[in-house]
């Protein structure tokens, strides 16, 4: 019994990160964030000299720290600001109020990261053409590793870790929020995204990784705004299919459909092709590289699945002339998950 207790306490002690490691992670997290927001504010990119700090799990602790901060900010703003604002504009029903707050927080999150990506990714010297995503790549264990692909500016490194942290906190928030009809699909999406960001970060596929991040965020901004308008329309104009809020929701949804098609159905498959085919011209893929390719295709399957639902909704709005709320009442065989 004594030996068992001693083994348990020893294991528990070993699981706690050393204080010096936590201090290093905290200092590094602050430095990365300072450089990141400096670039976002218009500053110049620093030198590409930071490589992933995998020893002592420094970057893992930074990832968890950022996730905890984002989770606290998400729910703090949601409870203190957004939900009272929703009641102020008439969305008082509990479930609708929660959905409004959920959409508002996602709009802020996707909108913020879309802006971050636009301010940081195009500044990279290798952003285009796509061949530069792969030229000079050296795999772990290769002569010359870590190569240029493993080195990032502090701002880009922060953006990368924050992106993974954001989706990790999203996985937790989905468990707390009002249950979504696309809960399973969203969890698969979140898990695949976190895994893709993690694997690509560790193994030096960060160039294509940030391009994917840049493409996946913009479409959700008009979508979440459309949801918010729809909830306000239901609360302030019950039973009316034509009102200013519903019209705004329909126009935002149409704009969302265009952005989704361009970024996720046109551009994103090109990224998958580049990772699968073009990259092969520059190096042979091993298990980590093929893992990234598979995860990219998992995300592509989800995009195509969601686009089929989106196309049905767009047909009902544009061709049949019915508003979005009619679709939710059963006009289609499967209700649209985008608006739940």
């Amino acid at each position: 019994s004594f030996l068992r207790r001693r083994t348990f306490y020893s294991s528990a002690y070993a699981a706690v990160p050393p204080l010096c490691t936590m201090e290093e992670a905290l200092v590094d997290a602050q430095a990365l964030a300072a450089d990141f927001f400096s670039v976002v504010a218009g500053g110049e990119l620093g030198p590409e000299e930071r490589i992933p700090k995998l020893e002592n799990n420094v970057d893992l602790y930074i990832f968890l720290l950022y996730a905890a901060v984002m989770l606290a900010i998400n729910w703090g703003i949601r409870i203190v600001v957004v939900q009272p604002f929703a009641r102020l504009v008439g969305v008082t029903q509990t479930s609708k109020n929660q959905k409004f707050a959920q959409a508002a927080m996602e709009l802020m999150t996707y909108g913020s990261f879309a802006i971050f990506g636009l301010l940081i990714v195009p500044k990279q010297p290798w952003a285009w053409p796509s061949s530069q995503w792969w030229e000079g790549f050296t795999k772990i264990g290769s002569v010359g590793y870590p190569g240029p692909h493993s080195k990032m500016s502090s701002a880009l490194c922060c953006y990368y870790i924050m992106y993974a942290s954001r989706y990790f906190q999203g996985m937790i928030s989905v468990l707390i929020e009002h249950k979504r009809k696309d809960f399973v699909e969203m969890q698969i999406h979140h898990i695949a995204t976190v895994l893709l960001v993690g694997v690509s970060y560790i193994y030096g596929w960060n160039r294509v990784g940030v391009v994917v991040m840049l493409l996946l965020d913009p479409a959700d901004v008009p979508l979440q705004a459309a949801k918010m308008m729809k909830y306000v329309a239901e609360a302030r104009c019950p039973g009316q299919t034509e009102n200013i809020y519903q019209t705004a929701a329909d126009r935002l949804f149409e704009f969302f459909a265009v952005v989704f098609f361009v970024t996720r159905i046109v551009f994103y498959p090109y990224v998958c092709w580049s990772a699968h085919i073009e990259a092969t011209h520059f190096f042979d893929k091993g298990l980590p590289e093929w893992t990234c390719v598979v995860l990219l295709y998992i995300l592509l399957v989800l995009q195509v699945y969601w686009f089929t639902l989106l196309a049905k909704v767009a047909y009902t709005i544009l061709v049949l002339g019915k508003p979005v709320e009619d679709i939710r009442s059963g006009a289609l065989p499967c209700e649209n998950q985008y608006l739940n």
Side-chain angles (χ1 to χ4, degrees):
S1 176
F2 171 76
L3 290 176
R4 283 198 299 270
R5 285 197 301 271
R6 182 177 179 180
T7 301
F8 171 78
Y9 290 129
S10 298
S11 301
Y13 178 78
V16 178
L19 183 59
C20 59
T21 301
M22 289 298 295
E23 289 178 352
E24 179 184 359
L26 182 59
V27 170
D28 208 7
Q30 292 173 331
L32 290 175
D35 286 345
F36 171 80
F37 287 109
S38 173
V39 173
V40 168
E44 295 295 323
L45 284 173
E48 294 185 329
E49 58 184 18
R50 192 188 190 279
I51 62 174
K53 294 186 177 181
L54 305 180
E55 283 190 35
N56 298 323
N57 298 318
V58 172
D59 282 350
L60 174 61
Y61 299 141
I62 295 175
F63 159 76
L64 294 174
L65 176 63
Y66 284 166
V69 171
M70 290 180 187
L71 187 66
I73 292 174
N74 184 341
W75 285 93
I77 294 177
R78 182 183 305 219
I79 294 172
V80 176
V81 178
V82 179
Q83 289 184 339
F85 174 77
R87 288 191 287 270
L88 185 65
V89 297
V91 186
T92 55
Q93 183 183 348
T94 301
S95 63
K96 297 296 183 182
N97 184 278
Q98 292 174 354
K99 289 181 178 182
F100 181 96
Q102 177 182 323
M105 293 312 303
E106 290 189 356
L107 183 149
M108 284 187 267
T109 301
Y110 283 106
S112 298
F113 274 86
I115 294 171
F116 294 158
L118 287 171
L119 291 174
I120 290 178
V121 177
K123 290 184 178 181
Q124 307 303 317
W126 39 259
W128 190 258
S130 59
S131 60
Q132 294 190 77
W133 304 344
W134 317 111
E135 289 176 356
F137 178 79
T138 51
K139 295 190 288 187
I140 285 182
S142 303
V143 176
Y145 183 85
H149 288 238
S150 298
K151 297 178 181 179
M152 293 177 278
S153 65
S154 295
L156 186 66
C157 181
C158 182
Y159 174 65
Y160 221 91
I161 298 175
M162 284 175 60
Y163 199 93
S165 299
R166 155 206 164 184
Y167 271 98
F168 183 71
Q169 77 83 23
M171 290 167 55
I172 299 173
S173 291
V174 165
L175 300 175
I176 305 172
E177 293 169 339
H178 180 86
K179 188 66 177 291
R180 308 164 61 122
K181 290 191 175 182
D182 60 347
F183 173 82
V184 174
E185 291 87 347
M186 288 303 299
Q187 284 294 64
I188 292 173
H189 179 269
H190 288 353
I191 293 170
T193 301
V194 171
L195 289 175
L196 179 60
V197 172
V199 173
S200 62
Y201 180 77
I202 293 170
Y203 290 99
W205 270 36
N206 51 68
R207 294 185 178 184
V208 70
V210 294
V211 173
V212 172
M213 297 174 190
L214 182 62
L215 291 177
L216 293 186
D217 283 335
D220 277 277
V221 177
L223 169 63
Q224 304 307 327
K227 288 183 180 181
M228 294 169 66
M229 288 295 99
K230 186 185 68 66
Y231 298 138
V232 173
E234 292 176 347
R236 306 192 72 164
C237 307
Q240 299 180 26
T241 57
E242 294 185 7
N243 57 75
I244 187 172
Y245 307 107
Q246 183 63 56
T247 299
D250 290 343
R251 300 295 82 78
L252 284 165
F253 184 82
E254 291 161 7
F255 180 58
F256 154 70
V258 173
V259 177
F260 187 100
F261 178 77
V262 172
T263 58
R264 301 193 184 191
I265 303 301
V266 176
F267 291 161
Y268 181 70
Y270 175 83
V271 175
C272 294
W273 169 85
S274 181
H276 186 186
I277 305 299
E278 188 177 26
T280 307
H281 299 315
F282 297 93
F283 55 87
D284 295 326
K285 295 186 180 72
L287 179 61
E289 291 77 25
W290 282 116
T291 299
C292 287
V293 171
V294 169
L295 290 170
L296 285 170
Y297 277 119
I298 289 175
L299 291 179
L300 178 59
V301 169
L302 286 172
Q303 308 314 315
V304 173
Y305 166 71
W306 280 325
F307 185 73
T308 58
L309 299 178
L310 171 58
K312 293 177 181 178
V313 176
Y315 175 82
T316 304
I317 294 175
L318 299 176
V319 178
L320 302 183
K322 296 182 179 180
V324 175
E325 64 182 4
D326 283 353
I327 297 166
R328 287 173 51 80
S329 66
L332 290 176
C334 57
E335 292 186 352
N336 176 32
Q337 289 151 317
Y338 283 112
L339 297 173
N340 288 285

